[in-house]
Amino acid sequence: MTDRTRSANPFNRLAVVNQKGGVGKTTTAVNVAAALAQRGRRVLLIDMDPQGNASSGLGHPTRTVGSSIYNVLIGEAALRDVLLPCPVDGLFLAPATQDLVAAEIELVDEPDRASRLRAAIDVLLTDMPFDDVLVDCPPSLGLLTVNALVAADEVLVPLQCEYYALEGLTHLMATIERVRAGLHPTLGVKGLVLTMFDARNNLAHQVAAEVRKHFFVFDAVIPRNVRLSEAPSHGKPVTLYDPSSKGAVAYQLLASELSAEKKS
Ligand code: ADP
Ligand code: MG
């Protein structure tokens, strides 16, 4: 049994973002969310990618989803009404389906189009407390990602240590600066998490060292681990599918870093 009392630990409101596809955003969002919930926290994971990979990875493939985050963004449903339970106690999912592609177009003339998600989360939190809210972003810097950035207090950036990683990071930081300048001056960078890390690859170590010069990088480094890629097809986070695998242990460590009191 987990302890359901609300913890005094810090509240995380994070956008898991990187405009590159296939860098481990969804894997990080799903498994960190699950690991935080397994630590007894109440966690909300919002799927903002029309591909719905976070949803299917938690047992809710798009074909089985009724109301989704699309209905919330266009004002048809409250966030509370689309939440689905997950295989981990204390973890709730706001699912996504392919419909979400249309939201970008349908919202284009709405003056509050960039703050729809933030407003929906604020309403939800007034009567449903969560310790952590994570938003899994699509691989672009369009309106869906901007909504996630405006909705978050901080960003969590999964980074694959390859040659072009730093270049991609420069574009992402420029977008974050634009969001700060226009919509959300206090948006912070929580940190970077190194994903699919191959310790035998010299370039990976060089990129990691370079990134550490400029950004806070979590101690938890996520290794390349086949269990992480298998778990979604079972509709489970790796922390349930194979809790002792290297991937699960790494995400549990990341969750402990995210739920720890900040040292002053
Ligand atoms: P993104 O959301 O950034 O597009 P994903 O999290 O979906 O990236 O990961 C892309 C692919 O790589 C998926 O098939 C996923 O299962 C796999 N994957 C992610 N992280 C790892 C890892 N650490 N080890 C092995 N496979 C991984
Ligand atoms: Mg993804």
Side-chain angles (χ1 to χ4, degrees), residues 9-10 12 39 41 190 255-263:
N9 285 330
N12 290 300
R39 298 172 71 82
R41 295 165 71 94
K190 184 89 181 178
S256 80
E257 288 187 71
L258 283 169
S259 57
E261 291 286 358
K262 277 215 177 79
K263 294 183 196 87

Side-chain angles (χ1 to χ4, degrees), residues 34-191:
L36 285 166
Q38 285 172 309
R39 298 172 71 82
R41 295 165 71 94
R42 277 174 61 89
V43 183
L44 170 61
L45 176 59
I46 299 173
D47 190 348
M48 280 290 273
D49 186 346
Q51 290 194 18
N53 292 341
S55 306
S56 57
L58 286 170
H60 296 287
T62 52
R63 68 190 142 74
T64 67
V65 169
S67 294
S68 69
I69 198 68
Y70 164 77
N71 303 93
V72 175
L73 291 175
I74 64 160
E76 277 179 0
L79 186 50
R80 188 188 183 112
D81 298 330
V82 308
L83 297 188
L84 297 172
C86 293
V88 179
D89 205 21
L91 173 59
F92 296 83
L93 169 77
T97 66
Q98 200 62 41
D99 290 354
L100 194 49
V101 173
E104 298 236 18
I105 300 148
E106 287 172 40
L107 290 176
V108 81
D109 292 326
E110 302 293 330
D112 66 342
R113 62 186 171 277
S115 54
R116 292 278 175 120
L117 183 61
R118 180 160 200 103
I121 295 171
D122 286 343
V123 169
L124 177 77
L125 291 177
T126 59
D127 68 344
M128 214 176 157
F130 283 95
D131 294 300
D132 305 288
V133 178
L134 284 89
V135 185
D136 184 29
C137 292
S140 75
L141 294 172
L143 183 60
L144 295 172
T145 294
V146 170
N147 257 274
L149 294 175
V150 172
D153 292 337
E154 295 169 296
V155 298
L156 176 65
V157 184
L159 191 82
Q160 212 183 332
C161 288
E162 56 185 19
Y163 187 65
Y164 290 111
L166 290 164
E167 205 170 293
L169 213 45
T170 307
H171 286 298
L172 176 57
M173 292 305 151
T175 299
I176 290 171
E177 271 311 321
R178 272 200 300 281
V179 170
R180 279 181 185 146
L183 297 158
H184 187 0
T186 59
L187 178 64
V189 177
K190 184 89 181 178

Side-chain angles (χ1 to χ4, degrees), residues 20-27 53 196 222-226 228-229:
K20 227 182 145 220
V23 297
K25 283 181 293 298
T26 300
T27 305
N53 292 341
M196 296 183 235
I222 314 303
R224 195 170 273 285
N225 176 237
V226 68
L228 284 170
S229 54

